[in-house]
Each structure stands twice: as structure tokens, then as C-alpha cells.
Amino acid sequence: MADNVKPRVRVPSSATAGEVVTIKTLISHQMESGQRKDDAGNVIPRSIINRFVAAYNGETVIDVTLEPAISTNPYFEFQAKIPESGTMTFTWYDDDGSVYEDSQEITVG
Amino acid sequence: MARGFRSGGAAALALVLAAPLAGADEVIDDELVINGEIPIVTQAPAPEHVEAFSVIRSGWTFRSPETQAMEMDDFDNPAILGVEAARDDFDASLGANGESCASCHESPEDLAGVRAVYPKWDDAAGEVQTIEMQVNECVTERMGAEAWPYDASRMVNMSALMSFVSRGEIVNVAIDGPAAETWQQGKDMYYTRYGQLELSCANCHEDNYDNMIRADHLSQGMVNGFPTYRLKNTKLNSVHNRFKGCIRDTMAQTFSPGSPEFVALELYVASRGNGLSVEGPAVRN
């Protein structure tokens, strides 16, 4: 597992039925591109988050493929329609096989 | 090409001259409230010892709406990553004694308000100390660990955490008593022209604030938002690092971060912002 990886999400805790809410996510990650060399001239191996998925009550909201050109600490902001109460789950997939997860409840009332 | 460049430059110069002279009494409508709950004073009446201005303004008031917005929500402020890293460091035991910052101070929030009065005179050390020097005193003397380099990211992060817990507190740096001599040294530096371009701090930040310096909008050079996350180098920058950049831009040999000269300058510049809120870690160009 890469060092100091920590997911953060910002989701409203409540919404009205059918409301479109804004969701912000950020994961701290060095996103090493695989293009750089160290002081000795050796290639620093690629180590990035390669996929990000957000799902609401099991239904995919977005599913993103990340490429090496994406910067350190990738940040996503997107919108989702919230039909009923449920749980938004967030999953980041690391090159090294690690999977980082976070989830947040949204109450419709 | 050269011709085009020259005429472009002349047009830009004409624009600058045509703009009203730096509007010292100009009222800025924008209000800075961080996370919708921490109101920040971004303009205030100038303290007595600042003769050049009637109103002092935080660097935030000079930035574009997009940059300003990044500071209004901690989720959008990239500097907060540094603050979080410093929180981990705060609890980590360092050195041989197995002590951490938390052994004495419990939580960073215990140190709320500290940033607002720094740099300040330290009786025991017999000198004016910046917050970085105070951190290092704890690290070396209390914890028996090796001193952190003044400008290391670890130190800048800790400094950012100290600003973070003091956000909204009004800057109130003491300039009298034992600090007076250092303050005067800082003031003299502020008005000293450095480098091949022969520029003093005052030439830009007093005489020309609110004007453009090439593509950048000159501020009053307040340091209440430091350490700042700069979009230009995408990391947190200490005050001394910024000083170094300014002096380098005058094409001079600079002082080192942590040097007595920069400590004096920081004291003086910080005192010019007495009345503004601690705003760091801020977002700037």
C-alpha cells in the first residue's frame, strides 16, 4: 500500500426526494506517473489510483478510469440525483491492488 | 515580434497609469467566511505604526474570485492536507524521551490564539522567536530530537496547523518592550533597496499595491495568511520562503529562511497586519 493514502468525501447528510446533490471527493495519493527517474537514473515505478467508483444503494453513479497524467491527490466533484434514503459508497483502486473505501449515509426526509 | 512586444508593454503601462492611484480607502465588498462559520477580517484600519495606509487589506482581497473561493471551504483548500499531516505529527512521539507535542499540549486546539501574537520576544532565549523557532525549541529541548530544518515541509505543515487552529483570531504582534530593537531592524530592512533592481519591500507593497506587476496583482504584502498554499508551486510556503522569493526577484543574494534578518523582517511585516485575522493556511497565486 502506498504511503499516507487517505480518502475524504463531502456529501450532504440529507436531501429531498429527487434532489440533485453535489458530492466532492479527494484522496491523498502521490500518483507516481512511472515517467520520472530518481537521482541514480532509475525509473520510479508507476503507482497510481487507476479507478474510482461511486455507487448509491449499489447502483453505479460514476466509474472513472484514471491515467498517469492525473495529478497528486486526485479530486472529483460530481452531482447525483437522490431518489430515496441510502448509502453512497466510494471505492478507489490502487495499482498495487489496494482498495480504499468510504461511505456516507444520505437521508431523504 | 520585438516591436509587438514593445507596443504591448507600452499599452500595459498606459493602463496601469490610467488606473486610479492605489485605492487606500477603497472598500471591498467581498467577505471571507471559511466553512460558513469562521468570519475573517480581511480589511481593517491601519495600525498607528503603518503610515503608508489608512486601511490594511489581506492578500485575499487581491486574488481572483476562483482563488478566493478555494479558501472559503476547507474541502477545496489544498493546504488542509498539510494541516492533517501535521496533526499526525503532533501525536507522534519524537526523540529519545518518547514524548510528542501532545504530551504537553494535549491537542492542537489548545494552542488556539498562539499564532496571532507571533513572532514574539522570548525571555529565556533572549531573542524574538517565530513559531517555527518555538516548535524547534520543543522538538530539541523537550523531546530531545534533532531539530527540524526551518523550511522543511514537516515544519511548514506544523506552522500551518498552528495557523489553522488560530483562524479568525486578530493578529496582535507586540512591537514595544524588548522586541522593539528587532522590530526596528525589520522596519529598516523593509525600506532598504535590495539587489540589482534596487527595490525595497515598500516599492512594491506600499507604492504600488493594487497595480499589476506583469501578470500579477500586487498586494500590500500582509503575512496573516501564511503559510500559504501557492497555486504556482502547489505546496505550502513559509513566510521566509516568500521573503526569499521577493528578494531573489530584486536580483539580490537573499538571506536564508530562519536567519535573524528574516526573523526581524517577519516581526515587522506581521505587525503591519495587526488588526487583520489570522487566515492561514491561505490560498494564493
Side-chain angles (χ1 to χ4, degrees), chain A residues 34-88:
Chain A
Q35 302 287 326
R36 303 197 306 159
K37 290 177 180 169
D38 63 16
D39 293 338
N42 305 313
V43 171
I44 305 171
R46 178 182 128 157
S47 169
I48 67 168
I49 301 273
N50 56 43
R51 185 176 172 218
F52 168 66
V53 178
Y56 193 65
N57 288 342
E59 190 186 341
T60 301
V61 178
I62 58 167
D63 187 341
V64 185
T65 302
L66 285 81
E67 303 291 348
I70 291 174
S71 72
T72 308
N73 308 331
Y75 172 102
F76 287 103
E77 180 175 332
F78 55 93
Q79 296 181 313
K81 196 179 219 172
I82 304 300
E84 73 235 340
S85 296
T87 308
M88 182 82 73

Side-chain angles (χ1 to χ4, degrees), chain A residues 6 8 10 24 73 75, chain B residues 73-76 81 84:
Chain A
K6 188 172 160 195
R8 301 161 177 82
R10 162 84 55 93
K24 297 175 177 181
N73 308 331
Y75 172 102
Chain B
D73 183 346
D74 281 348
F75 203 91
D76 295 331
L81 293 171
E84 286 182 10

Side-chain angles (χ1 to χ4, degrees), chain B residues 186-207:
Chain B
K187 184 174 181 183
D188 292 344
M189 281 183 74
Y190 195 88
Y191 291 100
T192 301
R193 290 173 178 267
Y194 285 97
Q196 291 180 313
L197 297 182
E198 295 189 6
L199 289 169
S200 73
C201 308
N203 290 139
C204 288
H205 296 292
E206 278 189 356
D207 304 344

